[in-house]
Amino acid sequence: MGDVLGYLVTVAILLLIATAVVAGVVIAYARVPIEKKYENAGGGFGGAFDAIWMPSAHEAGMERDRQTKRTAPAPSPGDPPDTIDQGRITLDL
């Protein structure tokens, strides 16, 4: 009887530890910004399947990548570097 009780206590402790580890991973993952969670989505081996089976998702991912990597246009040499609007100076990038 003592062996069974010891076994049950060991199993209960291991389940408690496993639950705590899973909860910790979920909490840590929930705090990551959504931009970081999906920044590499659709690339690599899975991207080939998106291109074949879901072309609209593949095209949307490519457009998202283009817009993310787009740089701001450089100002012309004669343009002022800022705008004054009701006493507030705004930098135009």
Side-chain angles (χ1 to χ4, degrees):
M1 183 78 172
D3 291 337
V4 174
L5 184 61
Y7 176 73
L8 290 177
V9 169
T10 303
V11 169
I13 290 173
L14 290 175
L15 284 175
L16 185 65
I17 291 172
T19 303
V21 167
V22 169
V25 169
V26 168
I27 290 170
Y29 189 70
R31 293 183 183 206
V32 175
I34 196 161
E35 293 85 11
K36 292 286 184 186
K37 287 180 186 176
Y38 301 108
E39 71 182 2
N40 293 331
F45 187 66
F49 288 107
D50 272 348
I52 295 171
W53 299 109
M54 292 183 58
S56 60
H58 180 68
E59 291 168 7
M62 291 179 60
E63 180 63 25
R64 182 189 66 233
D65 290 342
R66 277 193 292 273
Q67 289 182 5
T68 302
K69 294 175 183 174
R70 188 180 312 167
T71 58
S76 299
D79 291 344
D82 56 52
T83 307
I84 299 176
D85 183 33
Q86 298 178 354
R88 298 187 80 175
I89 299 174
T90 306
L91 297 177
D92 298 326
L93 300 176

